[in-house]
């Protein structure tokens, strides 16, 4: 093969010399170049000449013509020289490939790594950027690293030398994808104290672009509208247009407010997802004050919510978050819960698309807790709440406020959740560890917890209920909320309620081997 290629190269060189000789003879014997006449021929006596000096008698300067021809020949020779260099370099590559192929055929291995260094594997080319047609709020909250290998090819043009080096320069470019936009939807009506809620949201908001505040107002209350309007461009003020009463059954007339709230929620969420085209939202009401790390909390948990199909919300609220029932030293402690908490919660657009067609006319929060909606999905909740309610006034007429809600502890320590590994909250990780921790705790009687008894350790301890009635009795005696919705206790997960009692971690649990909730426990 090498002999054949060598013959081809010699033939090419011979043809090169012959062609140049013929070209020289042709150029020497052609007539002088002058101006084109009307008949299409060269006219020596024309006024325009192409690089040819004229003698006084009108003839052509022979010396000038020879110089011009020499320059043309020199230019052509330079071109042919470059072609020969390229042919020589390819010859070296052919010989090298032949040697490599022979070694592989003989079963040998390439020992000289510098002689044959394969290029590193390159990552797939990223798809064409179609950001102009995409909702920026749907961008993933992450950093992408693009690694490219750029060859540094060094060629020696001497005819007897091979290519000596083929190095690769590794280039790393860090591309930060735009972070997901998480709007805050404030549900407002006729409470001018919405100012307290908005002040805290704006105070702790790290970015107006990433966390636009949308205040949706019902009721048409003028004074509340003026308060909201006073924030100018810091918030977006939208108004639910339908303020009419809703026709209800006679026995439900006293619940007219609950019907209007459900209507308002439906309209406002449609505005956020369908009109403003956001992919997620955090809903708060106008009587909630947020913690310093409220935005950090939801930012960090958004990827968990979007990646775990067994989750359908993230809540800032712990129903049993009263001071004394939570561990003040565990502000970073998070749980899964089967009970929908509300009161500052994150919802995804695809879940809203599932819920909106069957949205209830009233009591939307209890409706969310029905098995038909929950579908065995869970929410994330904190040990210490990231919201606190200050509104006793409302359609619930202060239900639970004086007994429970006013005592909820609001977190005051900023926790850098976005710098933590929260994958432990994924179902496949959380369930194994949670069940092991709960049911490995010593089983004790409620009296031992209340009186101290012989309990010397700080826990955890486990107390066990076996019926709806026993759960309610134990919950009341231990100071946690005793109501159940479709069999699910507040803040419970797999039937387990976790809290502190007299400084000890306690699990209020069903018997080991629990499988499902009894919907009759309501």
């Amino acid at each position: 093969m090498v002999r054949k290629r060598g013959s081809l190269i010699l033939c090419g060189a011979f043809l090169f010399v012959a062609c140049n000789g013929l070209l020289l003879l042709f150029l020497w014997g052609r007539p002088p170049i002058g101006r084109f006449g009307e008949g299409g021929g060269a006219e020596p006596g024309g006024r325009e000449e192409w690089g040819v000096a004229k003698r006084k008698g009108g003839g052509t300067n022979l010396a000038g013509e020879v110089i011009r021809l020499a320059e043309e020949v020199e230019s052509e020779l330079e071109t042919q020289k470059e072609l020969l260099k390229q042919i020589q370099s390819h010859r070296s590559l052919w010989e090298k490939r032949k040697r490599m192929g022979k070694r592989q055929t003989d079963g040998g291995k390439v020992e000289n790594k510098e002689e044959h260094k394969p290029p590193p594997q390159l990552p797939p080319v990223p798809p064409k950027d179609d950001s102009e047609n995409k909702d920026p709020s749907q961008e993933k909250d992450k950093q992408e690293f693009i690694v490219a290998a750029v060859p540094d090819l060094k060629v020696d043009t001497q005819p007897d030398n091979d290519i000596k080096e083929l190095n690769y320069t590794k280039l790393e470019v860090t591309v930060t994808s735009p972070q997901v936009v998480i709007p805050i939807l404030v549900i407002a009506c006729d409470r001018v104290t919405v100012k307290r809620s908005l002040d805290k949201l704006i105070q702790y908001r790290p970015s107006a672009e990433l966390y636009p505040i949308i205040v949706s107002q019902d009721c048409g209350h003028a004074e509340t509208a003026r308060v909201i309007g006073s924030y100018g461009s810091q918030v977006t003020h939208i108004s639910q247009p339908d303020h009419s009463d809703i026709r209800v059954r006679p026995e439900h007339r006293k619940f007219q407010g609950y019907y209007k709230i459900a209507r308002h929620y439906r309209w406002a969420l449609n505005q956020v997802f369908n009109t403003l085209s956001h992919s997620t939202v955090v809903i708060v009401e106008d009587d909630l004050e947020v913690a310093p790390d409220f935005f950090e909390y939801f930012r960090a948990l958004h990827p968990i919510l979007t990646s775990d199909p067994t989750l359908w919300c993230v809540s800032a609220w712990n129903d049993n978050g009263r001071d004394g029932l939570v561990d003040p030293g565990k502000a970073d402690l998070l749980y899964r819960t089967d009970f929908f908490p509300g009161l500052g919660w994150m919802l995804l657009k695809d879940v809203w698309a599932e819920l909106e067609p069957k949205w209830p006319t009233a009591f939307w929060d209890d409706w969310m807790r029905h098995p038909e909606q929950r579908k065995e999905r869970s929410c994330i909740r904190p040990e210490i709440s990231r919201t606190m309610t200050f509104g006793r006034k409302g359609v619930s007429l202060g239900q639970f406020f004086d007994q429970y809600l006013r005592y909820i502890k609001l977190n005051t320590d900023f926790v850098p959740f976005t710098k933590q590994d929260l994958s432990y909250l994924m179902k496949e990780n959380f369930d194994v560890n949670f069940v092991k921790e709960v049911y490995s705790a010593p089983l004790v009687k409620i009296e031992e917890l209340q009186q101290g008894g012989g309990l010397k350790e700080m826990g955890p301890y486990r107390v066990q209920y076996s019926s709806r009635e026993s759960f309610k009795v134990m919950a009341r005696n231990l100071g946690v909320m005793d109501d159940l919705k479709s069999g699910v206790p507040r803040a419970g997960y797999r039937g387990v309620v976790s809290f502190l009692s007299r400084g000890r971690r306690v699990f209020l649990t069903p018997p080991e081997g629990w499988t499902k909730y009894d919907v009759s426990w309501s």
Side-chain angles (χ1 to χ4, degrees):
M1 182 62 70
V2 175
R3 183 177 301 172
K4 183 177 180 181
R5 288 173 180 161
S7 300
L8 289 174
I9 293 171
L10 292 175
C11 289
F14 175 77
L15 290 174
F16 161 72
V17 173
C19 289
N20 279 281
L22 291 173
L23 178 63
L24 183 61
L25 290 174
F26 170 75
L27 294 173
W28 185 266
R30 69 179 179 176
I33 298 174
R35 179 175 59 84
F36 285 107
E38 294 179 358
E43 188 177 343
R47 295 179 182 177
E48 297 179 5
E49 297 179 27
W50 296 351
V52 179
K54 295 178 64 176
R55 291 181 301 180
K56 293 181 180 180
T60 303
N61 187 345
L62 181 60
E65 179 72 12
V66 171
I67 293 172
R68 184 182 62 79
L69 291 175
E71 289 175 350
E72 290 182 359
V73 171
E74 183 179 2
S75 175
E76 188 68 25
L77 287 173
E78 288 296 328
T79 302
Q80 297 299 327
K81 182 179 178 181
E82 291 299 322
L83 290 174
L84 281 174
K85 288 180 179 179
Q86 293 182 28
I87 292 171
Q88 183 63 33
S89 66
H90 283 293
R91 178 184 176 185
S92 300
L93 287 174
W94 291 336
E95 292 176 352
K96 180 174 291 187
R97 289 176 183 173
K98 180 178 179 300
R99 291 196 300 269
M100 295 299 299
K102 184 177 180 181
R103 292 181 187 180
Q104 292 176 358
T105 303
D106 295 340
K109 295 183 180 179
V110 179
E111 296 180 358
N112 187 354
K113 295 183 180 179
E114 290 298 321
E115 184 175 317
H116 180 71
K117 185 184 295 184
Q121 294 296 320
L122 299 180
V125 177
K128 182 180 179 181
D129 183 13
D130 194 25
S131 58
E132 292 182 358
N133 300 321
K134 288 184 179 179
D135 174 9
S137 69
Q138 295 178 354
E139 295 292 338
K140 294 295 183 182
D141 188 7
K142 64 180 182 180
Q143 285 189 334
E144 298 176 352
F145 296 92
I146 300 176
V147 180
V150 180
D152 294 330
L153 185 60
K154 299 182 179 179
V155 181
D156 192 332
T157 57
Q158 296 302 318
D160 295 332
N161 292 343
D162 293 339
I163 295 175
K164 297 299 183 183
E165 283 189 74
L166 187 59
N167 297 327
Y168 287 83
T169 302
K170 183 179 180 182
L171 301 180
E172 282 197 10
V173 181
T174 302
V175 179
T176 304
S177 297
Q179 291 182 308
V180 64
V181 174
I182 304 178
I184 311 299
L185 175 63
V186 181
I187 300 294
C189 182
D190 60 353
R191 287 189 282 215
V192 294
T193 51
V194 66
K195 176 176 171 53
R196 177 175 172 181
S197 178
L198 292 176
D199 284 347
K200 290 298 182 180
L201 284 169
I202 293 171
Q203 177 184 346
Y204 297 135
R205 177 172 63 173
S207 166
E209 290 74 24
L210 293 178
Y211 306 96
I213 298 173
I214 304 165
V215 185
S216 180
Q217 186 187 3
D218 200 359
C219 312
H221 190 252
E223 184 59 29
T224 302
R226 280 194 291 271
V227 171
I228 298 168
S230 68
Y231 288 89
S233 61
Q234 294 182 96
V235 304
T236 299
H237 185 192
I238 60 177
S239 297
Q240 200 281 117
D242 186 0
H243 301 157
S244 63
D245 285 342
I246 300 172
R247 297 184 63 181
V248 299
R249 302 193 306 269
E251 62 270 24
H252 273 208
R253 286 175 184 167
K254 62 181 178 180
F255 300 130
Q256 179 74 209
Y258 289 99
Y259 282 84
K260 290 186 175 181
I261 287 175
R263 178 177 65 186
H264 185 193
Y265 263 83
R266 185 175 199 164
W267 180 86
L269 288 171
N270 276 329
Q271 291 296 306
V272 170
F273 289 127
N274 301 330
T275 303
L276 301 176
S277 300
H278 289 291
S279 63
T280 187
V281 68
V282 174
I283 304 113
V284 299
E285 297 191 2
D286 56 359
D287 62 344
L288 289 180
E289 181 178 324
V290 302
D293 59 355
F294 175 86
F295 294 95
E296 174 81 359
Y297 174 78
F298 283 108
R299 169 67 57 190
L301 288 169
H302 179 266
I304 302 294
L305 179 61
T306 56
S307 59
D308 188 345
T310 67
L311 292 172
W312 71 323
C313 89
V314 173
S315 175
W317 182 260
N318 178 3
D319 280 292
N320 291 314
R322 295 173 59 184
D323 200 4
L325 295 179
V326 295
D327 189 341
K330 294 290 183 66
D332 61 341
L333 184 58
L334 307 178
Y335 294 90
R336 295 173 68 99
T337 176
D338 296 323
F339 191 90
F340 172 72
L343 295 173
W345 55 288
M346 179 185 285
L347 175 70
L348 299 178
K349 185 174 185 177
D350 58 349
V351 177
W352 175 243
E354 169 195 328
L355 299 175
E356 195 273 341
K358 54 181 180 177
W359 190 252
T361 55
F363 310 108
W364 69 269
D365 49 350
D366 281 343
W367 175 83
M368 291 276 287
R369 293 159 184 153
H370 293 172
E372 296 80 12
Q373 279 65 251
R374 191 173 73 83
K375 297 180 180 179
E376 299 185 354
R377 292 174 292 191
S378 305
C379 297
I380 301 296
R381 72 161 179 91
E383 168 78 358
I384 304 177
S385 291
R386 264 60 186 185
T387 55
M388 176 187 72
T389 179
F390 55 82
R392 190 178 187 280
K393 173 190 174 183
V395 295
S396 64
L397 301 177
Q399 182 186 17
F400 295 131
F401 183 82
D402 290 328
Q403 186 178 0
Y404 293 104
L405 303 182
R406 66 183 299 179
Y407 300 108
I408 294 295
K409 177 179 175 60
L410 181 67
N411 180 61
T412 57
D413 298 326
F414 186 93
V415 177
F417 285 112
T418 56
K419 301 184 184 304
Q420 297 182 358
D421 181 5
L422 301 179
S423 61
Y424 72 91
L425 293 166
M426 303 288 283
K427 183 176 177 62
E428 62 270 20
N429 300 328
F430 190 86
D431 283 15
V432 174
N433 296 325
F434 184 71
V435 170
K436 181 179 179 181
E437 180 184 12
V438 168
Y439 288 99
S440 63
L443 181 62
V444 299
K445 295 181 179 180
I446 192 171
E447 293 79 13
E448 296 179 85
L449 289 174
Q450 291 177 321
Q451 300 170 3
L455 304 178
K456 297 181 180 179
E457 302 295 331
M458 297 305 295
Y461 293 102
R462 180 166 64 96
V463 289
Q464 184 170 292
Y465 64 88
S466 56
S467 65
R468 175 181 179 275
E469 289 70 26
S470 63
F471 170 81
K472 294 181 77 68
V473 168
M474 290 182 177
R476 288 171 187 160
N477 281 287
L478 293 169
V480 298
M481 298 189 74
D482 66 344
D483 61 323
L484 303 110
K485 303 290 184 180
S486 299
V488 184
R490 289 184 182 269
Y493 184 67
R494 297 178 58 91
V496 178
V497 180
S498 175
F499 57 96
L500 287 190
S501 177
R502 298 176 182 268
R504 297 184 175 90
R505 176 62 60 183
V506 176
F507 300 119
L508 179 56
T509 75
E512 190 170 3
W514 176 96
T515 56
K516 63 180 181 179
Y517 293 104
D518 186 342
V519 296
S520 67
W521 290 18
S522 297

